[in-house]
Amino acid sequence: ETGVTQTPRHLVMGMTNKKSLKCEQHLGHNAMYWYKQSAKKPLELMFVYSLEERVENNSVPSRFSPECPNSSHLFLHLHTLQPEDSALYLCASSQYHDGSTGELFFGEGSRLTVL
Amino acid sequence: EDKVVQSPLSLVVHEGDTVTLNCSYEVTNFRSLLWYKQEKKAPTFLFMLTSSGIEKKSGRLSSILDKKELFSILNITATQTGDSAVYLCAVEPSNTDKLIFGTGTRLQVFP
């Protein structure tokens, strides 16, 4: 496989469920990202892992919990979500260098619907 | 507050037309501006611009940055139906690793 792969591609969950989104990058990059894309809104950065260290993002609710076990894998754990969390969740990777994000390579996204 | 504004929000043209997409920005410390094409799900990278007045070109697509007036344009000549997509503009400030995206311009090219 090449590039950035995300699973599942579609997810429907109730507000009391616990689920996880998975992302894997095969590009040898040292940084991975979670973005949220809602209708008619700009792409919103949720979390950054650079060199496997998480950059805090205090604006993201605690019901979203990221995990980055190594430089190739990134998870987004979801629990007690709200209907307004329904969106396309995009994972991306890049070669972070000298304080610059550089070119982002995106996965196909996980379309999440919260009932 | 840093922000990126794209215009128009949507555009409908016929094959063969030339289109110009606009991206204006306000950031405290500018590092780079990037253009992405999003057809269905995954945005794909088009250009990165850091210097003012230097045109980046790839086939029928070209882009230029004006750091004085704080905007960039993306030109597509001789449009094809395959150019139909949402075009995203993003700016990277130099004091953060957080890209700031605009809401995008949705381009529809009809035969």
Side-chain angles (χ1 to χ4, degrees):
Chain A
E1 292 200 51
T2 59
V4 180
T5 56
Q6 289 186 241
T7 56
R9 297 290 298 276
H10 299 273
L11 178 62
V12 179
M13 60 188 288
M15 289 192 286
T16 58
N17 291 159
K18 287 185 179 181
K19 298 285 184 182
S20 296
L21 306 181
K22 179 183 175 182
C23 177
E24 185 173 356
Q25 61 101 356
H26 309 272
L27 301 167
H29 288 159
N30 61 8
M32 296 187 75
Y33 311 79
W34 280 115
Y35 279 88
K36 177 183 178 182
Q37 189 172 38
S38 304
K40 299 184 180 179
K41 289 186 178 180
L43 272 170
E44 177 187 345
L45 178 65
M46 299 177 72
F47 300 104
V48 179
Y49 276 86
S50 175
L51 301 172
E52 298 172 41
E53 288 189 12
R54 173 176 158 184
V55 176
E56 293 294 330
N57 191 332
N58 296 325
S59 66
V60 180
S62 59
R63 56 186 184 269
F64 295 92
S65 174
E67 178 189 359
C68 186
N70 55 59
S71 61
S72 299
H73 294 86
L74 184 65
F75 295 89
L76 187 62
H77 303 300
L78 317 168
H79 63 98
T80 58
L81 295 191
Q82 304 297 311
E84 60 264 28
D85 297 323
S86 298
L88 180 68
Y89 288 84
L90 290 163
C91 174
S93 70
S94 76
Q95 190 59 27
Y96 187 88
H97 174 69
D98 197 24
S100 175
T101 298
E103 177 186 341
L104 288 172
F105 290 78
F106 287 89
E108 292 287 306
S110 295
R111 173 70 64 187
L112 173 66
T113 302
V114 181
L115 301 176
Chain B
E1 183 184 342
D2 295 341
K3 64 178 180 180
V4 174
V5 178
Q6 292 186 245
S7 63
L9 291 180
S10 65
L11 195 54
V12 180
V13 301
H14 289 287
E15 274 191 317
D17 288 350
T18 293
V19 297
T20 298
L21 310 182
N22 302 292
C23 175
S24 63
Y25 61 90
E26 293 178 24
V27 295
T28 308
N29 296 290
F30 176 89
R31 179 192 291 266
S32 64
L33 184 144
L34 301 96
W35 284 98
Y36 287 85
K37 177 183 181 182
Q38 187 175 22
E39 292 183 72
K40 291 183 179 177
K41 294 284 184 72
T44 54
F45 173 79
L46 294 175
F47 299 111
M48 177 187 283
L49 302 143
T50 56
S51 300
S52 203
I54 298 176
E55 185 183 51
K56 290 280 183 87
K57 195 171 174 65
S58 176
R60 296 176 294 102
L61 277 67
S62 63
S63 183
I64 197 161
L65 173 67
D66 186 328
K67 289 170 74 173
K68 182 179 178 184
E69 300 298 330
L70 309 182
F71 77 92
S72 173
I73 59 172
L74 175 67
N75 275 323
I76 308 175
T77 59
T79 52
Q80 302 171 359
T81 54
D83 295 326
S84 296
V86 174
Y87 290 83
L88 299 170
C89 175
V91 172
E92 183 180 23
S94 60
N95 57 348
T96 175
D97 49 16
K98 184 175 181 176
L99 282 180
I100 303 163
F101 280 85
T103 52
T105 293
R106 179 174 294 281
L107 173 66
Q108 292 177 277
V109 182
F110 287 99

